[in-house]
Amino acid sequence: MTSSQPRWCTGRLRTVNTSPVWDPAREIVVDPDSPEPRYFQVARQLHAAIEGGRLPAGTRLATELDLAASLRLSRPTIRQAIQFLVNQGLLVRKRGVGTQVVRTKVARPLRLSSLFDDLAGLGASPRSQVLVNQVEPADADTAALLEAPGLARVRRLRRIRSAGGEPLAVMNNYLPDGLVDPADEDLRDHGLYQLLRSAGLRLHSAQQEIGARLATAEDAALLHEQPGAALLTMQRTTYDETGRVVEYGRHVYRASRYSFNLSLTNGLR
């Protein structure tokens, strides 16, 4: 068994295949000499089929016995592959129905970029619904978050970020007044970092904290989830090249549709 992290770069994004039946015996190739575990080879290729649209949401997979027979693998190997994708949120087991494909997650790399830019890079057609876009007095807590004790006014933004017409996140941002003055239309069609850069600001670094919590009734209504559903949280303080805080963000994401990717390197010398 290999201990390397899963890599999903093998599947190309394709349009939905209109052929009558997706045939796992034809689509999945398992190399017995590969260092990858057999279950992972199956899971990786199923993932590529889901991402590529050949297995769209709602598709019901064959039974574990049928898949094992068609791929000439053991049932435990197939069960492990399916469970791997269930844990990833790509498949769901339903009593009396079987195993079905569910909506794919957005996997976002951790870097100094906006969700809008990352979604656009994935071809996901991001849009925003602007709930709040206003300048208001800065209280002591907000001034502290922006590391500006004497700050008098702050621009507060609250948006629902969607992709493919489906909500992914509720974004709350606070900026010192005067940096940008975006219209609601600008916020619907562009990422905040894009607007900041267009205003001449040079973003340099950020401090970021990722966590999790359960959805409130308000979260559930905005994100089309059930109250108590798992949400990812992110708090980020962004600095320009002079060390000034230009934005503080506090966001929540649907854990059923969203994940963060983190690359690690060996720091030993």
Side-chain angles (χ1 to χ4, degrees):
M1 277 200 177
T2 178
S3 60
S4 61
Q5 293 292 322
R7 298 180 181 270
W8 300 114
C9 58
T10 55
R12 296 184 299 169
L13 186 63
R14 300 186 225 177
T15 56
V16 175
N17 192 334
T18 57
S19 58
V21 178
W22 183 83
D23 182 3
R26 185 178 67 246
E27 297 276 350
I28 296 178
V29 177
V30 176
D31 180 3
D33 297 322
S34 171
E36 281 187 330
R38 296 184 186 185
Y39 87 89
F40 185 73
Q41 293 183 55
V42 174
R44 172 171 52 78
Q45 292 174 78
L46 279 172
H47 185 284
I50 294 170
E51 286 284 303
R54 288 170 288 142
L55 283 174
T59 300
R60 187 169 64 181
L61 297 187
T63 66
E64 291 178 0
L65 282 175
D66 288 342
L67 284 171
S70 64
L71 297 176
R72 298 182 180 180
L73 295 172
S74 69
R75 186 175 180 181
T77 295
I78 297 299
R79 183 182 299 116
Q80 191 173 6
I82 289 174
Q83 186 61 47
F84 185 90
L85 295 179
V86 168
N87 294 341
Q88 295 289 315
L90 298 174
L91 298 177
V92 63
R93 289 188 171 102
K94 295 183 178 180
R95 185 180 300 274
V97 176
T99 302
Q100 285 185 299
V101 178
V102 293
R103 296 161 295 182
T104 57
K105 284 189 175 184
V106 173
R108 181 184 180 190
L110 290 177
R111 60 187 180 188
L112 188 52
S113 62
S114 70
L115 175 57
F116 188 100
D117 296 336
D118 290 334
L119 290 172
L122 293 170
S125 302
R127 293 285 292 179
S128 294
Q129 177 185 351
V130 181
L131 304 178
V132 177
N133 175 20
Q134 64 187 32
V135 176
E136 56 191 41
D139 59 28
D141 290 340
T142 304
L145 290 172
L146 293 172
E147 300 179 15
L151 186 66
R153 294 172 67 80
V154 63
R155 178 171 293 276
R156 181 166 68 94
L157 307 175
R158 182 172 172 83
R159 297 160 293 159
I160 301 175
R161 180 58 48 75
S162 300
E166 185 176 7
L168 293 179
V170 177
M171 325 285 290
N172 296 278
N173 300 89
Y174 302 85
L175 301 85
D177 182 29
L179 293 184
V180 290
D181 184 19
D184 287 1
E185 182 179 356
D186 296 327
L187 294 168
R188 283 194 295 266
D189 297 335
H190 303 281
L192 179 58
Y193 282 7
Q194 182 181 352
L195 296 175
L196 289 172
R197 291 185 175 107
S198 296
L201 293 165
R202 301 184 66 176
L203 308 182
H204 179 264
S205 61
Q207 294 291 327
Q208 183 164 279
E209 179 179 334
I210 295 172
R213 65 174 174 81
L214 301 181
T216 65
E218 181 184 11
D219 296 327
L222 294 176
L223 292 172
H224 299 180
E225 288 282 2
Q226 294 296 319
L231 300 178
L232 296 172
T233 65
M234 184 180 75
Q235 299 179 60
R236 177 188 281 183
T237 304
T238 305
Y239 301 84
D240 68 8
E241 60 182 356
T242 70
R244 174 183 56 167
V245 175
V246 295
E247 177 262 342
Y248 171 79
R250 186 176 67 246
H251 315 312
V252 292
Y253 304 82
R254 298 173 66 185
S256 62
R257 297 284 290 112
Y258 196 86
S259 64
F260 292 102
N261 284 344
L262 177 63
S263 296
L264 304 176
T265 57
N266 188 347
L268 298 178
R269 295 291 185 271

